[in-house]
Amino acid sequence: MSSCSCKSGHKDSCCFSCCHEKCLVQDKLCCEFTVAGSPAVVYSTNANNCEFLLASGTIRNCGNSLLTIEFVRGAATDGTGGVIVRNLAIPAGGCTTFTLGRFDTIRATGGTTALPISGEICITPRYKV
């Protein structure tokens, strides 16, 4: 039986009988990043099973050229490989929001060594416990 509790503090005082209670751990991470041509890992998780990950957030392109974002499942510890679950193209100065599950790594690509692209990511991952 779950040990999670509803908002009022007692697990039986506010839960609907037709809905199963879900216990989630929620984090929040905001950081800046820079990419210069080759893919850079801007987020990775050490969650044992990304099947239970659901995350939402924003990604901002602070540069002056296209930024490509890849959400990946099964990437190696160095961020390479894996299966691309979704990709996004963010124009110069643009931003996007996302809500997505079943990934463990976010990679960014864009810019060059001479003209790197900076960006910002703010992500709120939630894990089922």
Side-chain angles (χ1 to χ4, degrees), residues 55-125:
S56 57
T58 60
I59 301 174
R60 181 175 171 211
N61 180 349
C62 303
N64 54 11
S65 62
L66 184 68
L67 178 66
T68 302
I69 302 295
E70 296 175 335
F71 294 84
V72 181
R73 177 177 52 243
T77 54
D78 66 355
T80 60
V83 175
I84 298 172
V85 176
R86 184 172 180 201
N87 59 28
L88 302 170
I90 306 172
C95 63
T96 189
T97 62
F98 63 88
T99 299
L100 190 65
R102 298 182 176 182
F103 69 93
D104 53 37
T105 303
I106 301 174
R107 293 188 293 236
T109 307
T112 64
T113 317
L115 293 168
I117 296 177
S118 61
E120 298 172 347
I121 182 170
C122 196
I123 183 169
T124 304

Side-chain angles (χ1 to χ4, degrees), residues 27-31 42-44 56-58 120-125:
D27 298 317
K28 185 170 185 175
L29 171 73
C30 294
C31 63
V42 297
Y43 171 81
S44 66
S56 57
T58 60
E120 298 172 347
I121 182 170
C122 196
I123 183 169
T124 304

